[in-house]
């Protein structure tokens, strides 16, 4: 049909949504097996960029065939880490819309993931929009930003026991019991 997304060529490409700190889309060759591809949105940690969002999951994308979308925060970290959602969440929405233009995506297999500050942002966005995400991942999360939540996607979290930046006792060991209390299915690993 006219205007229908095509199968984007395999490889890594910037989406060209902004001059600095753009979003990257990685289409692994293994995604060709899917008519509608699974998608993971990967959010980098503080002081990092979209390259880090890709490198966190690239080998898994190659193995399993999911597309990997890595937007970059506008500044050194995600805006809501300092209090309020703003331009970063709008940019993630734009990057997702562009990805959906480039490749058919399976709406039942879209996950939000992140590391460190990106994990806090991932949990906050993923749980707030749980009707859009089939899973939410938080690797070394600091907190979840309070707000309205929709849906009940399963959650996977992990955290290192000697994390000097986001101490496990103050972070994941508080988040996990709270999410379970709220009725989320949480798989949690400490390392």
């Amino acid at each position: 049909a006219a205007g229908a997304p095509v199968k984007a060529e395999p490889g890594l490409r910037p989406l060209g949504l902004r001059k600095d700190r753009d979003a990257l889309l990685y289409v692994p060759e293994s995604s060709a097996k899917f008519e509608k591809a699974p998608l993971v949105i990967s959010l980098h940690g503080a002081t990092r960029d979209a390259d880090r969002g890709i490198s966190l999951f690239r080998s898994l994308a190659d193995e399993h065939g999911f597309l990997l979308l890595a937007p970059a925060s506008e500044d050194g970290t995600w805006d809501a880490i300092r209090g309020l959602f703003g331009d970063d969440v709008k940019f993630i929405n734009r990057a997702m819309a562009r990805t959906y233009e480039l490749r058919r995506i399976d709406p039942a297999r879209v996950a939000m993931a992140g590391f460190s500050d990106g994990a806090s942002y991932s949990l906050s966005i993923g749980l707030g929009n749980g009707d859009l995400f089939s899973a939410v991942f938080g690797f070394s999360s600091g907190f979840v930003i309070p707000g309205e939540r929709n849906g009940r996607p399963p959650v996977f979290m992990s955290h290192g026991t000697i994390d000097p930046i986001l101490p496990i006792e103050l972070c994941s060991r508080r988040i996990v019991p709270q999410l379970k209390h709220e009725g989320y299915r949480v798989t949690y690993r400490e390392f």
Side-chain angles (χ1 to χ4, degrees):
V6 295
K7 285 194 176 181
E9 290 297 315
L12 180 65
R13 69 178 47 77
L15 292 184
L17 299 174
R18 62 184 180 205
K19 186 173 184 252
D20 295 316
R21 301 189 63 81
D22 195 12
L24 296 174
L25 176 63
Y26 179 61
V27 178
E29 291 195 23
S30 56
S31 70
K33 65 185 173 187
F34 296 111
E35 178 62 30
K36 292 182 176 181
L39 173 66
V40 173
I41 296 103
S42 173
L43 306 181
H44 62 78
T47 75
R48 304 307 288 261
D49 59 18
D51 290 327
R52 181 62 177 156
I54 294 292
S55 67
L56 289 169
F57 301 106
R58 187 172 182 154
S59 64
L60 289 170
D62 288 333
E63 181 180 349
H64 298 286
F66 60 83
L67 273 58
L68 192 52
L69 172 61
S73 59
E74 190 170 303
D75 291 319
T77 195
W78 303 96
D79 54 19
I81 301 304
R82 296 184 203 94
L84 296 172
F85 290 105
D87 290 337
D88 284 340
V89 76
K90 292 174 189 167
F91 185 69
I92 291 169
N93 287 338
R94 289 177 52 215
M96 288 178 66
R98 181 69 182 123
T99 298
Y100 278 70
E101 292 170 0
L102 293 171
R103 179 70 160 82
R104 289 181 188 93
I105 303 298
D106 183 349
R109 298 177 71 196
V110 178
M112 179 64 77
F115 174 74
S116 190
D117 277 4
S120 297
Y121 212 68
S122 170
L123 287 174
S124 302
I125 291 173
L127 299 177
N129 298 281
D131 49 343
L132 300 176
F133 298 106
S134 55
V136 179
F137 298 87
F139 302 97
S140 302
S141 307
F143 54 91
V144 179
I145 298 158
E148 185 179 333
R149 297 188 184 163
N150 297 296
R152 286 269 188 266
V155 176
F156 177 89
M157 291 178 60
S158 66
H159 209 122
T161 57
I162 55 172
D163 186 332
I165 306 297
L166 296 169
I168 194 169
E169 288 294 336
L170 302 175
C171 299
S172 291
R173 287 184 182 165
R174 289 187 177 175
I175 297 168
V176 170
Q178 182 61 41
L179 291 178
K180 287 182 177 181
H181 176 75
E182 293 173 18
Y184 287 93
R185 191 176 82 227
V186 181
T187 302
Y188 178 54
R189 301 282 183 267
E190 293 186 359
F191 58 92

